[in-house]
Amino acid sequence: MKTIILTFFTFIFSIMTAHADVLSDIKERGFIKVGISLGGMPMGGRDARNEAIGYDVDVANMLAEKLGVELRITDVYGDARVSMLGSGQLDLVIGNMTITEERAKVVDFSRPYYRTGLKIAVQRGSGIKSLDDLKGKKVVVGR
């Protein structure tokens, strides 16, 4: 938990120092526009009242509280996140986004606050031991 909090405040500091003009705009208007993918718990989803919930939502709430502004969440997916950042529809995105050279030309990335890895699940006895063993096979992936 201490690591998450320290990383979170490092994240806030990097936003504040790198983009003082954006920060002053956010404070002046009184709200921050955050894009979060609400399509998969525990990172982001909706409760029975259709309210945004999840880890990324908690991070966004902490950020808005620290800045002293209202949080406005937009449910975003895929490359729409990058274009919405570029057009000013969002101030930032909190969520799963692979850092690529192409994206880094257009947006700034904070230090990751959560790391995960991908796994391949196969039926026991399938003989699949590596990615190469999947050549020519049908696979199912998360969207």
Side-chain angles (χ1 to χ4, degrees):
M1 185 64 169
K2 287 182 183 178
T3 303
I4 292 170
I5 292 170
L6 178 62
T7 303
F8 174 71
F9 286 107
T10 301
F11 168 69
I12 290 172
F13 181 74
S14 69
I15 290 171
M16 289 178 175
T17 56
H19 301 286
D21 55 333
V22 173
L23 181 60
S24 62
D25 290 347
I26 292 167
K27 287 187 167 196
E28 186 175 307
R29 73 173 175 251
F31 62 90
I32 186 167
K33 303 174 290 185
V34 179
I36 299 175
S37 175
L38 300 175
M41 288 299 291
M43 303 312 284
R46 295 196 178 271
D47 65 13
R49 295 178 305 168
N50 205 32
E51 299 286 330
I53 59 170
Y55 186 81
D56 292 339
V57 176
D58 292 344
V59 170
N61 277 308
M62 287 190 288
L63 175 61
E65 184 179 316
K66 180 70 175 168
L67 296 175
V69 296
E70 174 192 340
L71 172 62
R72 295 192 182 170
I73 295 175
T74 300
D75 189 5
V76 294
Y77 296 91
D79 286 334
R81 300 172 292 187
V82 174
S83 63
M84 290 177 80
L85 280 169
S87 68
Q89 294 174 50
L90 298 173
D91 296 314
L92 65 105
V93 170
I94 296 177
N96 175 8
M97 183 184 289
T98 303
I99 300 171
T100 65
E101 287 183 33
E102 192 69 24
R103 285 181 178 153
K105 292 175 185 174
V106 183
V107 298
D108 291 326
F109 288 93
S110 70
R111 291 188 182 116
Y113 64 91
Y114 183 86
R115 289 188 185 266
T116 186
L118 298 175
K119 302 288 183 203
I120 298 172
V122 298
Q123 191 170 13
R124 214 178 283 260
S126 67
I128 296 172
K129 303 284 186 214
S130 71
L131 287 175
D132 288 338
D133 296 333
L134 293 173
K135 286 182 182 165
K137 305 239 187 299
K138 290 184 180 180
V139 298
V140 177
V141 297
R143 185 172 172 203

